[in-house]
Amino acid sequence: MGITIHGSGYDEAAMTAKEISEIRSVQYKTLSPFTMVDDRLFMGSLFPLGLAAAQAPTSVIKVEISLKSLRDVLKQIPNTAEGGAVLFAREQDWHIASSQEAREAALIQTLKKQWENKSGDHKAGSERLKIDNRFYLVTYEPSEMLDATLLVYVPEKQILDPLSHYFVMLLVLSVLSIAVIIFFSYWIYRMIHKPLRSLVSAFRRVESGNMDISIPYKTAFEFGYLYRQFNAMISRLNTLIQEVYEQKIHSQRAELKQLQSQINPHFLYNSFFVLKRMIAAGDNKSAINFVEHLGNYFQYITRNADDEVTLEAEWLHARNYAEIQMVRFRKRLRTDFFGKPCTYASLNVPRLIIQPLLENAYQYGLQNKITDGIIRVSFEVKMELICIAVEDNGEELTDEQLSMLEAKLNSHNEHMETTGLINVHRRLQLKFGTDAGVLVKRSSLGGLRTEICIPIREVPNVSIVDH
């Protein structure tokens, strides 16, 4: 009929053959319902359906799509200043972009070429493409019904710049956090760990026996109170130790003075009786020797100036005392000396440590021995100990008495009665420590063996002549 009906009426201008040919081509040759003619986008259909290529249609339906409206919609998709969107057909040579600027057109042509060179498997997704030395993030969505693909491209920098800003903020916060952690760690080390370590170190030094210690502190320091109390505690302990030490010294000195002052009157009377007998018998030489020994004896025990003497002097005093006793008891017993202190002659020891052992042997060990009494005094060094032993062959020592004597020596009861052996034992421990002292056991001769033990701390280079 050659009549065209449109939205506002109708006219007699027939549709051009080119338009009909394009619509026929779209309907029978492609899947897309769209066709582009002279920069105008159409959708169309020929009737009746199934016409041959040479047959003219009875009627044609043609719908034009507004490119301006479509571009406005495409502009809204990326929602960025430099990004854009483009819709292009996969089998037809047309596309619709959100921008018609020359720069964007060249970009879209490059993007279209890279897209056409991709594989035939077109699925929705996204990629990172480099175009003109610039990276773009491209998201695409194909449509089988429209036989077209929608691509949205955005410059990578435009997306990552805000992220880089947050990255810088995160980096700054991380650095600040690390700085704060380091600061508080150092603060904790300075204010808590280091002072606590100093306090623990001080306690360990005190535990090892070092009482000469004081921790310096600041008045406003948190550990100042603990340090002040620690120093006060150490000062008080030192005072108490000094008081106890001085008390023990005074006690031992008092016991020593008591021993020195306790001159056995029977020993004195008997000595003068022996002297008288020698003079009466005309044995002047023996009397002179006896008087000399007796004078040396009383001079040694009544000399109160020094609490300590050399081991040489103590050894000679013990031999001098034994000489006096052997004159008195020459028919009942004998006293033998083995060894001599030589190398350790100059070692300082408490006064009167050997004589009480000899006196104990004479008075208790052999008091009922009529004949063949033996007292043996020996000096030897074994296992870094100086050992001076006094033993006898008495026959009256029981195992019970030996156990009781051992218990007394090992007792720490300060109020226990102090005998000669216990006094020697305590003074040796006060001078040389707990490794020193007096040991008792049964002698190989049958009686009691008392042994003085003195640890060797230094070896003086002095020797003496055995008398």
Side-chain angles (χ1 to χ4, degrees):
M1 297 175 60
I3 298 173
T4 300
I5 302 172
H6 50 81
S8 59
Y10 67 93
D11 55 37
E12 295 182 357
M15 187 181 296
T16 63
K18 182 179 180 181
E19 292 177 350
I20 296 174
S21 175
E22 288 293 334
I23 294 174
R24 184 191 294 271
S25 175
V26 170
Q27 183 169 347
Y28 292 103
K29 295 181 179 180
T30 66
L31 298 175
S32 175
F34 300 107
T35 181
M36 183 73 73
V37 180
D38 297 331
D39 293 329
R40 296 170 69 188
L41 186 63
F42 297 99
M43 293 177 62
S45 181
L46 302 179
F47 292 93
L49 299 175
L51 291 173
Q55 293 178 316
T58 302
S59 61
V60 178
I61 296 176
K62 182 181 73 172
V63 179
E64 183 176 356
I65 307 300
S66 173
L67 293 180
K68 181 180 180 304
S69 300
L70 190 55
R71 287 192 180 97
D72 291 340
V73 174
L74 293 176
K75 287 179 181 179
Q76 298 175 10
I77 295 177
N79 197 22
T80 57
E82 298 185 21
V86 58
L87 179 69
F88 63 88
R90 290 190 290 183
E91 295 185 6
Q92 301 180 57
D93 187 18
W94 61 266
H95 67 273
I96 302 170
S98 59
S99 175
Q100 291 182 299
E101 297 179 4
R103 183 176 62 84
E104 295 294 332
L107 174 63
I108 291 171
Q109 288 295 330
T110 305
L111 184 62
K112 184 179 179 181
K113 288 180 182 179
Q114 291 194 11
W115 180 255
E116 290 175 348
N117 293 331
K118 287 175 58 64
S119 61
D121 183 17
H122 299 299
K123 294 182 179 179
S126 60
E127 291 187 8
R128 181 173 179 261
L129 299 179
K130 184 178 181 181
I131 302 174
D132 295 334
N133 296 324
R134 192 177 185 186
F135 288 97
Y136 289 84
L137 296 178
V138 180
T139 302
Y140 47 90
E141 178 74 29
S143 174
E144 295 293 338
M145 183 179 65
L146 302 180
D147 194 27
T149 302
L150 175 65
L151 274 76
V152 179
Y153 60 91
V154 179
E156 186 180 58
K157 183 178 180 182
Q158 192 172 0
I159 295 177
L160 298 182
D161 276 351
L163 295 179
S164 62
H165 175 69
Y166 289 113
F167 175 77
V168 172
M169 291 181 61
L170 178 62
L171 184 61
V172 171
L173 287 175
S174 300
V175 172
L176 288 176
S177 300
I178 293 174
V180 169
I181 291 173
I182 293 175
F183 171 77
F184 275 100
S185 298
Y186 179 72
W187 181 84
I188 291 173
Y189 172 78
R190 281 287 305 273
M191 304 301 290
I192 299 177
H193 179 73
K194 188 177 179 181
L196 189 59
R197 188 174 60 179
S198 300
L199 189 62
V200 172
S201 176
F203 273 111
R204 287 177 178 172
R205 291 172 62 183
V206 171
E207 185 181 2
S208 64
N210 183 8
M211 303 298 292
D212 187 16
I213 183 174
S214 177
I215 306 178
Y217 62 91
K218 299 178 181 178
T219 305
F221 191 47
E222 282 77 359
F223 276 79
Y225 175 77
L226 290 178
Y227 284 2
R228 184 167 59 252
Q229 294 303 318
F230 175 84
N231 293 338
M233 178 191 71
I234 293 298
S235 176
R236 182 59 179 163
L237 283 177
N238 284 327
T239 302
L240 292 176
I241 290 173
Q242 185 66 24
E243 290 176 356
V244 172
Y245 183 76
E246 290 179 355
Q247 183 180 2
K248 283 191 174 182
I249 290 290
H250 294 322
S251 175
Q252 297 295 345
R253 284 182 177 178
E255 291 176 1
L256 176 60
K257 304 307 179 188
Q258 183 182 7
L259 282 178
Q260 290 176 290
S261 62
Q262 286 178 350
I263 301 173
N264 192 330
H266 294 288
F267 173 77
L268 181 60
Y269 300 153
N270 291 333
S271 296
F272 280 121
F273 179 76
V274 172
L275 178 62
K276 176 184 176 182
R277 189 177 57 192
M278 287 181 177
I279 295 174
D283 191 358
N284 294 332
K285 184 177 180 180
S286 298
I288 292 173
N289 290 334
F290 184 76
V291 169
E292 182 179 358
H293 289 308
L294 200 61
N296 291 334
Y297 170 80
F298 283 110
Q299 182 183 11
Y300 187 85
I301 66 172
T302 57
R303 186 172 56 194
N304 298 328
D306 299 323
D307 296 327
E308 294 184 357
V309 295
T310 62
L311 185 57
E312 172 190 19
E314 184 67 17
W315 182 261
L316 292 178
H317 171 71
R319 298 204 62 163
N320 188 69
Y321 175 74
E323 291 290 341
I324 296 173
Q325 295 288 32
M326 282 191 289
V327 171
R328 291 180 55 201
F329 304 112
R330 61 179 177 271
K331 294 182 179 180
R332 293 175 51 194
L333 55 88
R334 75 174 193 269
T335 304
D336 299 326
F337 282 78
F338 297 93
K340 50 187 177 181
C342 294
T343 306
Y344 306 96
S346 62
L347 179 67
N348 287 329
V349 297
R351 285 164 49 83
L352 294 176
I353 59 174
I354 304 178
Q355 181 201 323
L357 275 63
L358 280 168
E359 189 175 354
N360 187 75
Y362 286 123
Q363 186 173 356
Y364 300 107
L366 301 178
Q367 61 179 345
N368 297 322
K369 197 79 170 176
I370 305 300
T371 58
D372 298 327
I374 299 175
I375 294 179
R376 182 185 297 167
V377 183
S378 60
F379 180 95
E380 60 180 332
V381 178
K382 54 184 179 181
M383 297 180 66
E384 299 183 353
L385 286 175
I386 295 174
C387 299
I388 302 173
V390 177
E391 50 188 329
D392 60 71
N393 65 342
E395 300 173 353
E396 300 183 7
L397 179 66
T398 64
D399 292 338
E400 183 180 357
Q401 292 174 332
L402 181 60
S403 299
M404 291 177 60
L405 183 57
E406 245 180 340
K408 288 182 178 181
L409 289 173
N410 295 326
S411 174
H412 299 285
N413 185 4
E414 297 292 337
H415 304 289
M416 183 179 61
E417 181 183 359
T418 304
T419 63
L421 293 183
I422 296 175
N423 178 272
V424 172
H425 178 71
R426 289 182 178 177
R427 287 190 292 126
L428 285 173
Q429 288 198 334
L430 187 63
K431 167 69 176 176
F432 298 103
T434 55
D435 293 336
V438 177
L439 301 177
V440 293
K441 61 181 179 179
R442 187 170 293 279
S443 168
S444 59
L445 300 177
L448 177 67
R449 175 186 171 94
T450 56
E451 186 174 6
I452 293 174
C453 297
I454 301 174
I456 301 174
R457 294 194 175 95
E458 55 183 16
V459 182
N461 249 340
V462 178
S463 61
I464 64 172
V465 179
D466 187 32
H467 293 273

